[in-house]
């Protein structure tokens, strides 16, 4: 009989290659990874631009409302094509921490229309238009030179805190669902 084929070595990722594990939970039914990243972005943007965080709260605009598409589709439907390609170059070259730095740079780009907005619709429309007009070079300069650098260890620590917040939020929502379900079943029994 012929000799067995040689065993293939497991493929190891290049240090600059984003790990698939980094995106775990972003596309699950609960979108837990997205919730964690939104909590992290919220905390980082509060530290970076506290007046913007106050304005978002006053307008009832949440970070997930602004950033979910950023994280889930990596800015595909958000930035102009040329800017998108520049951002992807940075993400694939610099790794997962660059995702959060680009998101913080986007928060800086949309700061002016958000601060000027008088309601949710105006805030979201202004944010969308600002990002659609964003120059990729300027966005990356902001992300890589102006936004405080995040190391992989820093990002991991922020994500741990974000996971705690997301867990607390999920527990609260589940308790609310159970409470409503009990109320509905009691109403139906009457």
């Amino acid at each position: 009989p012929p000799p067995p084929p040689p065993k293939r070595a497991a493929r190891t990722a290049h240090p600059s290659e984003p790990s698939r594990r980094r995106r775990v939970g972003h596309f699950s039914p609960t979108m837990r990874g997205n919730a964690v990243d939104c909590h992290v972005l919220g905390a980082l943007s509060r530290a970076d631009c506290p007046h913007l965080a106050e304005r978002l709260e006053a307008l009832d605009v949440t970070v997930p409302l602004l950033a979910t598409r950023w994280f889930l589709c990596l800015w595909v439907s958000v930035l102009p094509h040329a800017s998108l390609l520049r951002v992807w170059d940075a993400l694939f070259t610099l790794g997962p921490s660059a995702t959060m730095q680009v998101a913080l740079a986007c928060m800086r780009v949309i700061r002016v229309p958000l601060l000027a907005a008088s309601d949710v619709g105006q805030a979201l429309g202004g944010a969308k238009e600002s990002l659609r007009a964003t120059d990729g070079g300027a966005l990356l300069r902001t992300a890589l030179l102006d936004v405080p650098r995040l190391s992989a260890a820093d990002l991991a620590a922020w994500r741990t805190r974000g996971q705690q917040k997301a867990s607390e939020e999920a527990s609260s929502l589940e308790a609310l669902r159970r409470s409503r379900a009990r109320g509905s079943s009691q109403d139906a029994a009457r």
Side-chain angles (χ1 to χ4, degrees):
K7 290 186 178 183
R8 295 176 114 185
R11 183 179 179 271
T12 57
H14 185 275
S16 68
E17 180 180 316
S19 167
R20 284 188 209 145
R21 291 185 317 116
R22 305 271 190 233
R23 306 296 296 165
V24 168
H26 279 79
F27 302 101
S28 70
T30 62
M31 293 175 50
R32 172 92 181 229
N34 181 66
V36 169
D37 278 349
C38 286
H39 280 292
V40 171
L41 178 59
L44 290 171
S45 63
R46 270 190 300 282
D48 189 50
C49 298
H51 55 285
L52 177 59
E54 291 170 9
R55 185 68 186 140
L56 290 175
E57 191 173 320
L59 292 170
D60 202 23
V61 175
T62 63
V63 171
L65 192 57
L66 290 169
T68 294
R69 286 183 24 200
W70 303 353
F71 294 130
L72 292 183
C73 67
L74 296 176
W75 290 275
V76 161
S77 61
V78 178
L79 296 173
H81 185 72
S83 299
L84 175 65
L85 296 178
R86 302 272 318 257
V87 166
W88 281 0
D89 284 343
L91 298 182
F92 291 123
T93 303
L94 302 173
S97 60
T99 303
M100 200 56 66
Q101 287 183 239
V102 170
L104 277 167
C106 286
M107 292 298 280
R108 286 185 177 192
V109 166
I110 64 176
R111 178 176 35 202
V112 171
L114 291 177
L115 290 173
S118 59
D119 60 33
V120 175
Q122 197 176 40
L124 296 177
K128 180 180 179 179
E129 291 305 314
S130 292
L131 289 171
R132 292 298 303 158
T134 297
D135 171 65
L139 181 64
L140 286 180
R141 276 190 298 282
T142 300
L144 301 176
L145 301 176
D146 298 338
V147 169
R149 182 151 163 65
L150 280 172
S151 68
D154 292 339
L155 183 58
W158 279 106
R159 282 194 170 140
T160 297
R161 288 186 286 251
Q163 287 171 348
Q164 292 168 343
K165 290 280 192 186
S167 292
E168 292 167 8
E169 194 174 81
S171 295
S172 295
L173 286 173
E174 185 58 33
L176 180 62
R177 282 188 197 110
R178 278 184 285 197
S179 172
R180 286 183 177 167
R182 278 193 302 269
S184 294
S185 64
Q186 289 172 354
D187 289 343
R190 292 182 195 164

